[in-house]
Amino acid sequence: MTNDATTTRAALDFDGLRPPSPWLTDAHREWRDRVRSFVVEEVEPHLDSWDAAGTFPDALYRTAARRGMLGVGFPVELGGHTPAADPWYRMLFAEELHRPGSGVVFADLATHWIALPPVVQFGSRELQESIARPVLAGERKMAFAVTEPGGGSDAGALQTQAQRRGDAWIVNGSKTLISGALRADDILTAVRTGGPGASGISLLLVDASSPGIERQVVAGLRWYNSSIGTIEFHDVLVPLDRLIGPQDRGFAALARQFNVERLSGIAATLAMSRTAVAEAIGWAQRREAFGRKLVEHQALRHKLVDLVRAIRASYAFLDQCVWRLQRGETVVADIAMLKVQATRTLERCAREAMHVLGGRAYAGPTRVERIYREARIFALGGGTEEVLDDLAARQLGLL
Ligand SMILES: Cc1cc2nc3c(=O)[nH]c(=O)nc-3n(C[C@H](O)[C@H](O)[C@H](O)COP(=O)(O)OP(=O)(O)OC[C@H]3O[C@@H](n4cnc5c(N)ncnc54)[C@H](O)[C@@H]3O)c2cc1C
């Protein structure tokens, strides 16, 4: 693995395309190696068949937990490990999970990163034991349901209603495009308990086996994953102690989770960009056209340099963001801007890598083809470009 401190001319492979970072320590590198071993042994050999089948086995959750993969950033007393305040651990996990060129395993395995923290922060002792601990042990699975058929960007306008009746909440409404919806045992659900707008939203932890819940797969996505779905709530009864956090003030917790999602999205997209570009470079160095290697054609090698430049610039921005985050600064605008920069970098790298590979990109399962297929989703999850640019504009004081 690359030694960040001494590399001067790195190989142009996945590791070499990540520029050295002044902030990564030996402990981070050890963690990265552990995650890589997990991916090499438990994920990578199966990706093509999981892609074809549109799913992966539930057993992977327990395997991941046994190998110490699920607890990253959660309290030790609940089965977690690695300092929660150090975002690098999760980012390195996201990088390594995306190295083989698919985000789908990560999307389900790490859903608890956004669904579980409010439960850990606000949930009763009983919920810590009955939900948090089994989730970190790979025995229960979670989903985080915000988006509705009426829209996802304007989360403050969500319509799913929860009305208090006696000693329970009664939930009615529907959610869509929810990652892990079909597998989840528990769904952290954003509901309207108060008036219109962001100040009337609460979070409820809903048992997915409750009467009145109907779940259906969202068909048509070629983002392989048969567990992404729509959830209908028909008079679903939720006990009062499943209100997570203060009533009507759940939006702040939602917003915090969006930042976690954005940081992992940035790590994911830049990792996939490296994989795509490494494959394109390798191919350009081997393949010949018109009597020369592809890389000996100036137009093509300039294209490759352009991609390496975009990756390096994004990592420099990322290093700066995480460093400021760790100093306790509020970097909402920067994370929003970087998320857009990173997803645009991925879309460009995916397109150009497909281009360099020519027809070969379509011949059988290739990592670049899968990256190209999956790249678009990253521009939606955690906020679309327009939503993030508006957020940045407000935070920067443009408005
Ligand atoms: C594979 C996948 C997994 C997902 N997983 C989850 C999940 O686990 N949980 C969950 O809650 N959601 C999930 N989502 C939903 C995702 O968060 C939404 O798709 C996203 O928030 C955008 O919402 P929307 O699709 O309703 O688009 P809309 O909100 O309808 O937006 C449509 C277009 O209009 C643009 N737009 C919106 N507002 C403005 C504005 N003010 N100015 C200019 N342009 C604007 C948007 O940028 C976008 O281009 C997932 C989506 C996908 C595809």
Side-chain angles (χ1 to χ4, degrees):
M1 195 154 287
T2 313
N3 179 338
D4 294 327
T6 56
T7 302
T8 49
R9 185 178 166 179
L12 291 168
D13 56 12
F14 178 81
D15 287 325
L17 284 171
R18 191 192 205 291
S21 166
W23 312 118
L24 293 185
T25 63
D26 285 345
H28 292 132
R29 277 187 278 273
E30 264 171 45
W31 167 245
R32 182 171 61 186
D33 290 350
R34 269 182 72 193
V35 181
R36 177 144 327 164
S37 304
F38 166 72
V39 173
V40 166
E41 289 157 27
E42 310 287 356
V43 177
E44 216 168 348
H46 311 292
L47 269 183
D48 289 344
S49 60
W50 292 346
D51 192 10
T55 188
F56 66 84
D58 273 0
L60 189 64
Y61 285 84
R62 282 175 196 267
T63 308
R66 202 178 58 243
R67 298 192 58 157
M69 297 293 119
L70 295 189
V72 53
F74 287 97
V76 176
E77 53 278 18
L78 291 173
H81 58 86
T82 69
D86 184 344
W88 280 121
Y89 287 94
R90 283 192 172 170
M91 299 195 67
L92 290 169
F93 181 85
E95 280 188 24
E96 289 300 320
L97 265 283
H98 288 83
R99 186 185 56 80
S102 173
V104 182
V105 170
F106 174 86
D108 276 13
L109 270 192
T111 303
H112 67 290
W113 285 10
I114 48 175
L116 190 57
V119 180
V120 170
Q121 187 182 357
F122 298 112
S124 61
R125 191 68 232 158
E126 187 270 322
L127 288 184
Q128 311 292 337
E129 291 304 322
S130 62
I131 307 289
R133 189 180 297 285
V135 165
L136 297 179
E139 289 159 5
R140 285 185 85 82
K141 296 175 282 301
M142 296 190 81
F144 187 42
V146 182
T147 304
E148 302 187 344
S153 299
D154 188 4
L158 61 85
Q159 310 256 321
T160 297
Q161 287 283 340
Q163 285 176 331
R164 191 162 166 184
R165 207 179 297 157
D167 57 358
W169 295 97
I170 308 294
V171 181
N172 281 287
S174 58
K175 301 285 179 184
T176 191
L177 287 167
I178 307 306
S179 298
L182 278 290
R183 294 180 193 270
D185 302 294
D186 303 286
I187 307 163
L188 187 68
T189 310
V191 294
R192 185 159 303 286
T193 44
S199 56
I201 291 172
S202 302
L203 298 179
L204 287 184
L205 186 63
V206 182
D207 184 331
S209 63
S210 307
I213 289 190
E214 277 172 33
R215 295 182 278 181
Q216 273 193 339
V217 70
V218 174
L221 283 171
R222 264 311 280 144
W223 195 58
Y224 91 79
N225 200 328
S226 55
S227 74
I228 184 165
T230 293
I231 309 171
E232 303 278 345
F233 300 84
H234 304 284
D235 286 330
V236 177
L237 205 135
V238 181
L240 289 186
D241 74 340
R242 297 288 174 123
L243 173 71
I244 304 297
Q247 185 178 334
D248 294 344
R249 302 222 308 277
F251 197 80
L254 271 189
R256 268 196 299 279
Q257 302 323 303
F258 287 147
N259 257 346
V260 174
E261 193 177 357
R262 280 168 206 152
L263 273 176
S264 58
I266 291 162
T269 44
L270 295 181
M272 285 173 117
S273 302
R274 282 152 60 199
T275 296
V277 172
E279 298 243 336
I281 289 174
W283 183 249
Q285 288 172 334
R286 293 193 304 278
R287 178 80 162 182
E288 286 191 11
F290 298 93
R292 284 186 286 167
K293 303 272 192 233
L294 291 180
V295 78
E296 287 166 348
H297 295 278
Q298 190 184 53
L300 202 123
R301 68 175 173 268
H302 283 189
K303 190 189 283 289
L304 295 171
V305 169
D306 194 37
L307 301 181
V308 175
R309 175 170 34 234
I311 291 173
R312 289 197 174 176
S314 301
Y315 271 107
F317 192 1
L318 173 63
D319 271 347
Q320 194 199 66
C321 276
V322 179
W323 174 65
R324 290 178 55 202
L325 197 65
Q326 285 179 305
R327 282 158 41 102
E329 288 186 48
T330 307
V331 286
V332 174
D334 292 80
I335 291 175
M337 288 190 289
L338 176 54
K339 159 79 171 30
V340 174
Q341 153 98 5
T343 52
R344 284 187 184 157
T345 298
L346 174 60
E347 288 200 286
R348 203 157 113 221
C349 290
R351 180 199 184 278
E352 298 301 351
M354 285 289 279
H355 194 69
V356 171
L357 261 63
R360 186 188 170 274
Y362 293 89
T366 68
R367 293 198 290 187
V368 173
E369 182 267 338
R370 192 150 52 213
I371 290 170
Y372 185 77
R373 193 170 1 114
E374 292 185 11
R376 200 71 284 279
I377 167 60
F378 291 95
L380 290 174
T384 64
E385 292 181 1
E386 291 84 357
V387 167
L388 293 179
D389 280 352
D390 258 357
L391 175 64
R394 285 194 302 277
Q395 295 281 326
L396 291 170
L398 277 172
L399 291 172

